[in-house]
Amino acid sequence: MVCTAPFLFDTLYLGGGTPSLLEAEVIDSIIDAVRNRFKFLKAAEITVEVNPGAVTFGQLKTYHRAGANRINIGVQSFDQSNLDFLGRIHTADDAIYVLNASRKAGFENIGLDLIYGIPGQTVTSWLADLVKAVEFAPEHLACYMLTYEPKTPLSIARKKGRFNPLSKKIVFDLFETTLTFLTTNGYEQYEISNFSKKVIGSPGLRRSRHNQKYWSAVPYLGLGPSAHSFCSPKRQWNHRSVRRYINDLNNGVLPIMGQEVLTRSQRMIEAFCLGLRRKNGISFESFNQAFGVDFEQVIGDVIPDLEEKGLIKADQHHFALSQKGLLFLDSITEMFITHPAFSAGTRL
Amino acid sequence: MNNIRNFSIIAHIDHGKSTLSDRLIQTADIVSDRDFQDQILDTMDIERERGITIKSQTVCLPYTANDGNIYFLNLIDTPGHVDFTYEVSRALASCEGALLLVDASQGVEAQTLANLYLAMEHDLVIIPVINKIDLPSADAERVKKQINEDLGLDPETAILVSAKEGTGIDIVLEAIVKNLPPPSGDPGAPFKALIFDSHYDAYRGTIVHIRVFQGKIKAGNTIIFMSSQAAYKVEEVGVFQIERLPQNELTAGQVGYFIAGIKTVSDTRCGDTITIKDRPCDASMPGFKESKPVVFSSIYPVASDGYEELAVALEKLKLNDAALIYEKDTSKALGFGFRCGFLGLLHLEVVQERLEREYGLSLILTSPSVQYELIMTDGSKFTIDNPALYPDPSGIVQTKEPFIRAAIIVPDRYMGAVMNLCLDRRGINTNYQYLTSDRLEMIFEIPLAEIVYDFYDTLKSITQGYGSFDYDLLKFRETDLVKTDILINGERVDALSQLVHRDKAEKRARQVCGKLRDEIPRQMFKIAIQGAIGAKIISRKTISPFRKDVTAKCYGGDITRKRKLLEKQKKGKKRMKMVGQVMIPQSAFLAVLKTDTD
């Protein structure tokens, strides 16, 4: 579609929305169809995203039989008042049910999503959520800070004063609580919001292979309404309207709503803003290779400065944000991308 | 000579002068419709976009009148802004008559009045033309009343037109032929012509625009400029019909051009008189003066290696802009640049825009300043416009600053607002009079320094667009001047220093510090921005270091959105200049330039 090269896929992710609303057999046939149509690695990571309250043990078993080997559960919180605030249909008990049922259905790789920064939350109540989550020993945890995206019902309600958002200070306390708690409980933070269980001998084993693709400019193919595909330097996305999506397919047209071809400067911005989210950070060598520059020569002076401030960690090969630095992700990204050496019109 | 008419169109900005010119040109049939481009006399992009004429043009229109004779109507275009009053007066001196164009819905404005006075000084015959009668808000009767009461002209002679729709254009052309007098002057007398403009042509050098008052000129003649006594051999004479049309000769009464191997337009002086060396005329045309810059600013390239490019661009621009003056300048913060003098703030903006647009330069301009006269304890006297050169204040006995006489016409309901604005700008209200029952003309004497910022914009906004403004320079008056400095992390940034009246210093320093705080990106360390007079700190702002971010998740569909956000930030912060340890974006310097509002 975007790329023409014959690809060997090593991950498949069924998610976004609530795929478990479909009959388990439909999921089964989708996985089957995709595996027949595209070349897949034998040990491919195949994830199904499920929402508590909308999935049964029986469904989970069918997924497993169909070849899924990873389940990602949108738990969000074990606290009912938080679930109510977020407008979730499920209860804490539903979440516990799905966690147990997934294990029972045979899944050895379970991911669990939590949200923090919810009005009313305290360090204590957030810790209770984390403790509860860790009790189930999930292989993967994604802890997302609540954000108020413009024009969403949540940000409109906030503007209207329907609730008191948490102060920034508390939100950052929660962020630090997350890091401290999870890293002392056997998890590594491999991206700003993603944690995986450390496995002796193979620490990165339980990272989401799929998620990591989004941050490393490798190609991926998105199917379904709104899905994004990427093959550097091109990105394209499908129609959001389900009807339009279906119509286009019925008419033999690719249901593409838009595309962009990234300029070098855009690719560079993405390399910084995505690379800095990751524990692996940015490798000097791949950066130099991708952009034909000598990073250290161009803005190498910035690195020791940030290091001294405790914002980044660097070695000979790469640099990444420190725990403190992660709190300043946007500012540090901005600093790199606005650096005169990378400004428009400046020859490197 | 009887079949020549020389005329200008005088009007306020936006009253439709360019559109009327277009119609006259179209009717005269010298440009094919295919080649016709709206506002044909405004050849620069900036002129079309801003709807103002910066460089005047002239065109000779052959017209067959109702009496069956062919007439040559010379339309002498004039620049349409208060900065260029002198250029307007030279153009008017070349005419026998003028069309006074008034917008049927806006009515008579200050600039119309000012230009009418100029026209009357030159004894021109005036034909009032009321334009835009097609607009629903047009009120021709009210405008006729204004023409009668404000201007003292016979309202019955006013012609109603819609230049946009082409109505009334024939009547205008007939009126030009019938009502304007033909030029007079003896073709046999010694040659005498007035320079009212000049422009630069890349192949031919300076094209000098002249009105011949007596005698004749042709190729091969040696002419002399009466002000400088410089002599040149004429290569070509001709008239303008959008393009240059060479002629054997130009004789008394005609308007046209000559080419004589003159390298830059600065070698010619608008308003100067030329004559022929072998048989010179007795006296120059009256009213010649050198147009003097009144607003000064330093221009620096953003790129540290951009000086040479800037020098080349200024040199080229100067070929066509005699009013622009510049000399080399250096700043500790910004490196090499040029100190430039302009006729006014509009002129400054036009030069800046042309340098950026036509020459692709990124520029930093320092805060505009007027010229001050300083009298020192040792009795010496000098003028200064550059804050960097301001001497130790203990050695100054007296400082003087230029004043202007501002004429403002507004509907009387805005009287209070205008009064407040002008008093706030240290103005003195010397006079006001009702022109009609609800419109008044207010006269203020205001320091020029107070209008070089955003006076005109502010006036427009407080009067909802109804206020109009014109000014004349007055003499220098005593003032109390101080130099305010801006310190960034304790380091004085010379390019941000300003000369300000003592009463305004604190407010101004506060505004500048505030603007800088908004424009300078956060950095890893705290940035202190201070305003100071000498060693005394009068204002202070700080930019706190990096702020913690709320981090959203970022997968396939989020990436483009996130990147676009970053691109926007990058755009706002581009073209940074490192000043000490702090990166200051170009936008910060530009914001300071315009600051005069809270």
Side-chain angles (χ1 to χ4, degrees):
Chain A
M1 231 172 231
V2 183
C3 290
T4 48
F7 279 106
L8 180 61
F9 288 85
D10 66 338
T11 71
L12 171 66
Y13 195 100
L14 280 86
T18 311
S20 55
L21 286 176
L22 292 172
E23 299 285 325
E25 289 68 32
V26 179
I27 300 278
D28 183 3
S29 63
I30 291 175
I31 293 176
D32 234 33
V34 172
R35 290 177 72 154
N36 286 334
R37 172 64 184 80
F38 301 100
K39 245 179 118 175
F40 268 82
L41 196 73
K42 241 200 179 111
E45 173 191 287
I46 300 179
T47 309
V48 180
E49 186 165 293
V50 300
N51 281 329
V55 69
T56 63
F57 173 67
Q59 279 177 298
L60 290 162
K61 259 176 74 173
T62 312
Y63 301 160
H64 193 254
R65 253 200 319 271
N69 51 24
R70 191 169 176 274
I71 282 290
N72 198 72
I73 308 166
V75 173
Q76 320 308 358
S77 176
F78 293 100
D79 181 328
Q80 194 56 45
S81 60
N82 288 343
L83 292 171
D84 291 344
F85 177 85
L86 295 170
R88 294 282 153 175
I89 52 157
H90 68 266
T91 64
D93 286 343
D94 290 336
I96 293 165
Y97 166 81
V98 179
L99 280 161
N100 290 326
S102 299
R103 281 278 182 246
K104 238 167 58 189
F107 287 100
E108 286 170 13
N109 194 355
I110 296 176
L112 192 157
D113 293 352
L114 294 175
I115 293 182
Y116 64 96
I118 299 166
Q121 213 167 24
T122 61
V123 168
T124 318
S125 71
W126 171 231
L127 261 177
D129 258 352
L130 288 171
V131 168
K132 189 84 187 162
V134 169
E135 269 177 27
F136 294 94
E139 283 65 32
H140 191 271
L141 267 161
C143 300
Y144 299 117
M145 205 182 262
L146 179 69
T147 55
Y148 298 93
E149 302 298 329
K151 289 176 196 157
T152 55
L154 198 60
S155 82
I156 292 165
R158 183 177 76 151
K159 261 197 190 146
K160 289 189 177 160
R162 298 260 166 80
F163 57 85
N164 280 331
L166 283 190
S167 75
K168 278 195 168 175
K169 188 189 172 301
I170 296 180
V171 176
F172 297 127
D173 285 348
L174 298 181
F175 178 78
E176 280 171 354
T177 303
T178 316
L179 264 57
T180 315
F181 179 82
L182 291 178
T183 48
T184 51
N185 279 278
Y187 290 86
E188 63 144 6
Q189 182 190 31
Y190 69 95
E191 190 255 3
I192 200 152
S193 338
N194 280 264
F195 300 82
S196 70
K197 202 171 185 179
K198 274 197 220 161
V199 176
I200 296 162
S202 180
L205 183 71
R206 295 305 189 185
R207 293 180 183 180
S208 162
R209 256 145 69 188
H210 188 83
N211 284 1
Q212 291 183 91
K213 294 185 189 298
Y214 294 117
W215 310 311
S216 47
V218 297
Y220 48 85
L221 173 65
L223 305 174
S226 266
H228 284 61
S229 301
F230 181 71
C231 186
S232 191
K234 192 157 133 190
R235 178 177 288 123
Q236 58 185 38
W237 47 96
N238 292 341
H239 283 289
R240 300 158 76 120
S241 147
V242 177
R243 188 183 313 167
R244 174 73 196 261
Y245 184 84
I246 294 170
N247 273 352
D248 276 6
L249 285 180
N250 286 342
N251 294 327
V253 183
L254 286 177
I256 293 164
M257 182 162 120
Q259 73 163 41
E260 58 185 9
V261 177
L262 303 182
T263 62
R264 178 173 180 277
S265 136
Q266 289 174 322
R267 283 193 293 123
M268 207 181 274
I269 291 176
E270 293 191 359
F272 278 116
C273 92
L274 299 172
L276 290 174
R277 301 179 72 90
R278 311 181 60 190
K279 186 189 181 187
N280 289 2
I282 292 168
S283 137
F284 294 120
E285 200 190 324
S286 16
F287 188 93
N288 292 350
Q289 224 163 45
F291 301 108
V293 295
D294 185 345
F295 189 96
E296 286 194 278
Q297 201 193 328
V298 177
I299 57 163
D301 57 323
V302 178
I303 304 287
D305 224 9
L306 287 168
E307 230 180 335
E308 199 186 311
K309 300 266 183 319
L311 296 169
I312 68 162
K313 290 183 206 156
D315 59 28
Q316 271 181 303
H317 306 291
H318 79 292
F319 70 99
L321 295 183
S322 65
Q323 179 169 332
K324 183 179 164 199
L326 287 174
L327 281 169
F328 299 97
L329 173 68
D330 284 353
S331 302
I332 297 172
T333 305
E334 197 183 315
M335 205 200 68
F336 278 112
I337 65 170
T338 57
H339 192 286
F342 296 133
S343 275
T346 309
R347 284 171 292 271
L348 290 170
Chain B
M1 205 185 305
N2 275 332
N3 62 350
I4 296 175
R5 299 290 182 274
N6 298 318
F7 71 103
S8 275
I9 303 174
I10 55 187
H12 185 75
I13 298 172
D14 287 342
H15 281 200
K17 191 174 67 165
S18 297
T19 318
L20 179 62
S21 309
D22 287 353
R23 288 298 158 263
L24 296 175
I25 293 165
Q26 254 178 337
T27 313
D29 224 14
I30 50 168
V31 190
S32 73
D33 282 343
R34 190 169 54 84
D35 294 338
F36 199 82
Q37 195 179 10
D38 274 356
Q39 313 207 334
I40 200 155
L41 295 185
D42 294 348
T43 45
M44 276 189 257
D45 287 346
I46 305 175
E47 293 187 328
R48 277 207 196 95
E49 278 169 29
R50 294 192 168 207
I52 52 169
T53 307
I54 296 152
K55 200 76 197 153
S56 50
Q57 308 244 348
T58 297
V59 63
C60 174
L61 309 169
Y63 171 68
T64 310
N66 290 346
D67 64 11
N69 296 322
I70 294 179
Y71 292 85
F72 293 95
L73 313 182
N74 291 310
L75 165 57
I76 297 168
D77 195 18
T78 55
H81 191 275
V82 283
D83 285 356
F84 303 95
T85 310
Y86 176 66
E87 285 67 18
V88 175
S89 83
R90 294 304 86 200
L92 295 178
S94 309
C95 302
E96 279 76 39
L99 305 180
L100 178 83
L101 191 65
V102 185
D103 183 316
S105 63
Q106 301 288 320
V108 173
E109 306 208 42
Q111 210 187 341
T112 324
L113 212 60
N115 287 341
L116 176 71
Y117 294 152
L118 278 178
M120 285 172 161
E121 274 171 37
H122 294 101
D123 292 326
L124 302 194
V125 175
I126 311 289
I127 302 173
V129 176
I130 301 175
N131 188 22
K132 304 196 191 180
I133 55 161
D134 56 302
L135 290 182
S137 56
D139 187 349
E141 285 314 306
R142 186 179 65 98
V143 175
K144 277 190 181 175
K145 199 170 159 224
Q146 287 176 358
I147 287 173
N148 186 18
E149 293 174 4
D150 297 11
L151 310 180
L153 299 173
D154 179 3
E156 294 316 310
T157 59
I159 303 169
L160 302 184
V161 305
S162 162
K164 194 173 126 213
E165 296 186 347
T167 44
I169 303 302
D170 294 345
I171 306 172
V172 173
L173 287 164
E174 281 301 313
I176 291 168
V177 170
K178 278 203 200 120
N179 302 348
L180 299 187
S184 56
D186 180 359
F191 175 70
K192 183 182 194 176
L194 174 72
I195 300 175
F196 61 86
D197 196 9
S198 57
H199 77 270
Y200 181 76
D201 180 283
Y203 301 103
R204 307 297 307 270
T206 303
I207 316 289
V208 187
H209 305 214
I210 52 167
R211 155 70 198 267
V212 183
F213 280 89
Q214 59 183 47
K216 291 177 183 174
I217 183 176
K218 62 181 180 205
N221 288 151
T222 298
I223 55 101
I224 51 172
F225 291 108
M226 299 208 31
S227 71
S228 62
Q229 292 296 309
Y232 291 92
K233 193 165 175 195
V234 176
E235 296 164 7
E236 180 183 313
V237 300
V239 297
F240 296 102
Q241 288 203 336
I242 303 302
E243 281 160 357
R244 291 192 301 273
L245 198 65
Q247 305 282 308
N248 287 333
E249 59 177 23
L250 291 178
T251 66
Q254 276 192 296
V255 168
Y257 69 90
F258 74 88
I259 297 171
I262 303 164
K263 291 221 173 54
T264 78
V265 291
S266 322
D267 295 333
T268 66
R269 299 262 186 279
C270 180
D272 197 359
T273 304
I274 50 164
T275 187
I276 287 175
K277 199 176 176 198
D278 297 342
R279 195 181 162 221
C281 62
D282 48 355
S284 306
M285 299 289 297
F288 171 66
K289 61 178 184 186
E290 296 216 25
S291 63
K292 268 214 244 144
V294 294
V295 173
F296 299 82
S297 166
S298 296
I299 301 183
Y300 296 94
V302 174
S304 47
D305 57 355
Y307 175 77
E308 289 301 322
E309 272 176 88
L310 176 60
V312 170
L314 274 171
E315 203 178 307
K316 282 192 189 154
L317 210 57
K318 172 82 182 154
L319 290 174
N320 216 355
D321 186 346
L324 170 69
I325 61 157
Y326 62 91
E327 61 185 28
K328 205 169 163 174
D329 196 10
T330 59
S331 148
K332 224 179 110 200
L334 301 177
F336 290 111
F338 293 94
R339 187 73 184 167
C340 303
F342 307 93
L343 294 177
L345 206 62
L346 177 88
H347 185 210
L348 177 153
E349 284 175 20
V350 166
V351 168
Q352 179 197 352
E353 243 176 274
R354 292 191 62 187
L355 287 172
E356 297 201 327
R357 213 184 283 197
E358 293 170 28
Y359 299 93
L361 300 172
S362 291
L363 304 173
I364 289 173
L365 275 80
T366 62
S367 183
S369 172
V370 301
Q371 218 158 26
Y372 296 94
E373 280 178 11
L374 304 183
I375 299 167
M376 309 302 289
T377 37
D378 64 1
S380 65
K381 213 169 136 178
F382 65 98
T383 57
I384 179 176
D385 61 67
N386 191 344
L389 305 176
Y390 192 68
D392 178 357
S394 64
I396 303 170
V397 179
Q398 197 185 41
T399 308
K400 289 180 175 180
E401 67 177 325
F403 266 65
I404 57 153
R405 176 187 174 279
I408 296 167
I409 297 181
V410 277
D412 59 358
R413 61 183 181 279
Y414 300 113
M415 183 181 183
V418 172
M419 191 70 89
N420 285 340
L421 170 66
C422 293
L423 295 182
D424 180 55
R425 303 295 176 104
R426 299 189 285 129
I428 305 154
N429 179 218
T430 56
N431 206 349
Y432 70 87
Q433 58 167 333
Y434 273 87
L435 299 171
T436 57
S437 58
D438 59 352
R439 279 158 53 84
L440 82 170
E441 184 187 40
M442 304 170 77
I443 306 292
F444 291 89
E445 290 176 5
I446 305 179
L448 178 63
E450 295 287 338
I451 66 152
V452 298
Y453 287 103
D454 55 351
F455 179 82
Y456 190 57
D457 290 342
T458 311
L459 176 72
K460 278 279 167 199
S461 86
I462 62 167
T463 61
Q464 294 169 304
Y466 287 106
S468 62
F469 161 71
D470 192 68
Y471 72 87
D472 297 310
L473 286 170
L474 299 173
K475 287 214 166 71
F476 280 65
R477 294 182 187 174
E478 190 168 350
T479 187
D480 187 5
L481 197 68
V482 292
K483 180 184 163 201
T484 62
D485 292 318
I486 298 295
L487 289 79
I488 294 185
N489 275 355
E491 199 175 323
R492 203 171 300 265
V493 182
D494 56 2
L496 292 172
S497 293
Q498 298 182 31
L499 298 173
V500 197
H501 190 268
R502 189 180 299 277
D503 295 347
K504 295 282 182 99
E506 203 177 312
K507 186 178 164 202
R508 188 105 187 98
R510 214 168 45 229
Q511 287 167 340
V512 172
C513 290
K515 285 273 182 189
L516 290 172
R517 184 198 48 200
D518 296 344
E519 294 287 339
I520 296 175
R522 289 166 191 276
Q523 284 163 51
M524 279 186 285
F525 42 83
K526 191 159 99 179
I527 303 168
I529 303 168
Q530 294 167 302
I533 299 176
K536 189 179 158 214
I537 302 296
I538 53 172
S539 74
R540 183 190 169 93
K541 298 268 166 150
T542 48
I543 300 174
S544 46
F546 284 169
R547 181 177 45 191
K548 291 177 182 173
D549 314 305
V550 175
T551 53
K553 58 181 173 179
C554 197
Y555 301 112
D558 309 314
I559 299 172
T560 304
R561 203 169 347 116
K562 179 77 195 164
R563 190 201 65 237
K564 282 189 174 158
L565 216 68
L566 286 164
E567 278 179 298
K568 216 163 110 192
Q569 272 155 2
K570 178 172 170 150
K571 205 169 163 202
K573 309 263 156 67
K574 78 176 174 192
R575 307 196 276 197
M576 304 257 235
K577 195 91 193 175
M578 197 80 170
V579 176
Q581 279 285 304
V582 180
M583 296 220 254
I584 304 180
Q586 178 200 32
S587 56
F589 289 97
L590 297 182
V592 170
L593 196 99
K594 292 230 160 189
T595 309
D596 210 36
T597 38
D598 282 302

